[in-house]
Amino acid sequence: MTTQNARRTLFKGGTILTMDTKTENLPVGDILVEGDRIAAIGADIKADGAEIIDARGTIVMPGLVDAHHHAWLGVMRRLMPDVDDLFAYIGVVAETLGSHYRPLDMYLSTRLTAVASLDAGITTIIDACHSSRSPEHTDAALDALDGAGIRALHMVGPAMDKKASSAHLPDDLERLASNWNHDGGLVKVGLFGQLNLDWWKVARSLDMRILTEFIGDLAKLGPEFAEKGVLGPHNIFNHCTRIPQETWRLFAEAGVNVTVNPRSDALFGFDDESFAYQQAIDHGLTPAIGIDLDTAFGSDMFGEMHALFGQQRSAMRYRRFRGEADAPAPITVEAVLKAATIHGARAAGLEGAVGTLAPGKQADIIIVRTDGVAVFPVNNAIGTIVQAVSRADVDTVMVAGQLRKRAGKLLDVDLDKLTIEIGASRDHLLQASGYRPELFATPVAA
């Protein structure tokens, strides 16, 4: 939408970290945004009439991409911080509480996750919704994402609890694709289809991406998945823990997308020293990282980056000290940041639009302050982002040329109102279900 009369914004005087192979990083530089796109990156750009954002003493970089998050769990934040049993988790979030979700609860939880993500510098989210209880619930989630102004790929999937019906799926995908999957929109729809090939066919006919949660202890791919055209770049496989080498080879040949959740995979004990992230790298894939759930964590990709760095180094050095001469090299901070930006954009099918900063790309840009006592001096920009800053250091967030956070404050978000609404939603769910959370103890099951 870049035109002569488009709104112009100039990020002035920051350290420019582009993450782009064709656009150089700048110790001090400017970024000019026109409309929803980056118009120029360089030193001392002149742009008469542009709104100036003073970026001196900050790092200006691409928005983070959260490649896997169940946004509908927003109201259940830290409800089960110690849970390590997947089925105990499902018993609480799906069977006990999720079965009582109204479309209003879906809207409010998804909105909370979306605005919290923006506040933390996340400009794109792959929203893995395994609670699409009805078309009305799906519409509520999509309206919440759209209203928040975040870029999102909402993956529609059947609810996990036994009370829910999935009779509206996959037929509802055609309506959703018609309403949302058009050029220019920030929010698009895909299928959370697990291993249902009949549903996959419907999604592929609509040019949708397909998400599958894949834990090797719980599922395996049959020979039908090796048939030509079944797997490809339209597939996103999450977790990918403890799966056999023949499956990794199939993934590599097909060029699927792999996402991992460093904190969540450790929480549930899904992974071991074979380490899904490293398996993907070893097979030539480009794994992205996601937050997964709010029942233990929150909308914070910095935490995921910290976990990925530490876990890979620990696992690979264990293999080396055990005597494996060809153990993979320790991960670098650049590889971690790529997983949180470039690779996440690729998983969402958005690598041509976001994930790096370059002229012509969508203006998904964040400013990170570096003046905090835990941060300065900046001796390495990438190391600072991956190892030192936190969500509290995110100063400014822009999505498609629209400012969503400025000078440390979310824009167009009534937090007082949202706090009241989320409290009422939680109270409804607790009353309807009879579930009583513990304020100080940390039970792992209902």
Side-chain angles (χ1 to χ4, degrees):
M1 84 175 225
T2 301
T3 67
Q4 190 173 12
N5 297 320
R7 178 177 175 177
R8 306 170 85 210
T9 304
L10 183 63
F11 294 85
K12 191 75 177 170
T15 295
I16 310 298
L17 177 57
T18 70
M19 301 297 295
D20 192 86
T21 57
K22 297 181 180 179
T23 308
E24 66 176 336
N25 299 318
L26 297 171
V28 179
D30 306 340
I31 300 177
L32 177 62
V33 174
E34 294 183 349
D36 61 355
R37 295 187 181 273
I38 297 171
I41 298 176
D44 199 22
I45 296 173
K46 305 299 181 186
D48 294 340
E51 178 184 3
I52 305 296
I53 295 180
D54 186 356
R56 290 176 297 175
T58 72
I59 296 172
V60 186
M61 60 173 286
L64 300 172
V65 180
D66 178 357
H68 190 88
H69 200 141
H70 303 297
W72 72 277
L73 296 175
V75 74
M76 300 189 205
R77 285 175 166 177
R78 272 75 65 187
L79 189 72
M80 305 177 76
D82 289 338
V83 67
D84 61 359
D85 182 330
L86 176 64
F87 298 101
Y89 158 83
I90 292 172
V92 173
V93 305
E95 299 289 351
T96 303
L97 294 172
S99 62
H100 295 284
Y101 260 58
R102 306 161 297 179
L104 175 62
D105 305 304
M106 178 67 74
Y107 174 87
L108 291 171
S109 275
T110 303
R111 177 168 173 77
L112 176 62
T113 302
V115 297
S117 298
L118 288 168
D119 185 63
I122 297 165
T123 53
T124 299
I125 183 172
I126 299 179
D127 177 17
C129 188
H130 46 18
S131 192
S132 303
R133 309 182 63 79
S134 71
E136 292 75 23
H137 285 79
T138 298
D139 291 344
L142 288 163
D143 287 343
L145 295 167
D146 189 48
I150 198 168
R151 195 181 298 275
L153 176 60
H154 179 74
M155 310 305 279
V156 178
M160 295 183 290
D161 66 277
K162 297 180 181 66
K163 299 175 186 176
S165 170
S166 59
H168 58 293
L169 295 173
D171 294 345
D172 197 37
L173 296 179
E174 184 173 0
R175 175 186 72 91
L176 294 168
S178 176
N179 288 345
W180 294 94
N181 289 1
H182 49 78
D183 292 340
L186 293 181
V187 178
K188 299 189 185 305
V189 179
L191 171 66
F192 196 158
Q194 287 308 94
L195 298 176
N196 188 327
L197 284 179
D198 290 335
W199 288 20
W200 285 28
K201 290 176 183 177
V202 175
R204 288 308 302 140
S205 72
L206 297 168
D207 195 27
M208 283 183 169
R209 281 176 123 64
I210 300 166
L211 171 65
T212 303
E213 299 264 32
F214 198 58
I215 302 162
D217 297 349
L218 303 177
K220 66 178 182 177
L221 296 185
E224 64 273 22
F225 289 90
E227 295 179 10
K228 185 172 179 164
V230 173
L231 295 177
H234 54 276
N235 288 102
I236 307 169
F237 283 87
N238 185 55
H239 297 303
C240 298
T241 50
R242 294 199 286 261
I243 61 176
Q245 287 301 301
E246 58 265 28
T247 300
W248 278 116
R249 288 191 288 270
L250 180 60
F251 282 177
E253 291 167 5
V256 307
N257 296 282
V258 170
T259 60
V260 299
N261 318 122
R263 292 185 293 181
S264 177
D265 291 341
L267 177 77
F268 285 106
F270 290 156
D271 217 345
D272 56 23
E273 73 271 14
S274 63
F275 203 48
Y277 169 88
Q278 190 62 47
Q279 290 286 335
I281 291 290
D282 292 345
H283 287 85
L285 297 169
T286 54
I289 57 176
I291 293 165
D292 199 13
L293 45 84
D294 288 76
T295 52
F297 311 114
S299 301
D300 178 11
M301 284 291 286
F302 298 104
E304 299 303 330
M305 288 192 279
H306 297 163
L308 175 60
F309 186 91
Q311 289 171 9
Q312 195 276 356
R313 292 234 164 181
S314 176
M316 295 314 109
R317 282 180 169 158
Y318 171 75
R319 289 171 58 179
R320 179 176 297 178
F321 295 152
R322 192 172 57 187
E324 294 185 30
D326 59 348
I331 199 170
T332 66
V333 289
E334 183 179 19
V336 171
L337 191 53
K338 284 182 177 180
T341 53
I342 298 168
H343 298 173
R346 183 177 292 114
L350 296 170
E351 67 269 32
V354 301
T356 72
L357 302 182
K361 280 200 153 185
Q362 286 279 296
D364 287 16
I365 301 169
I366 65 174
I367 292 179
V368 181
R369 293 192 306 271
T370 61
D371 57 355
V373 69
V375 180
F376 70 82
V378 176
N379 295 309
N380 182 279
I382 298 176
T384 297
I385 294 298
V386 172
Q387 300 284 45
V389 301
S390 70
R391 63 176 298 142
D393 297 304
V394 176
D395 178 88
T396 298
V397 176
M398 173 179 277
V399 182
Q402 293 292 319
L403 288 170
R404 298 299 175 187
K405 185 178 183 181
R406 180 78 186 271
K409 300 292 184 183
L410 285 166
L411 303 178
D412 303 319
V413 178
D414 187 338
L415 289 179
D416 291 337
K417 181 173 182 286
L418 184 59
T419 300
I420 294 170
E421 291 172 333
I422 287 293
S425 174
R426 181 195 60 184
D427 292 347
H428 156 73
L429 295 171
L430 295 179
Q431 182 176 9
S433 67
Y435 184 78
R436 294 294 176 265
E438 295 281 354
L439 185 59
F440 298 107
T442 54
V444 297

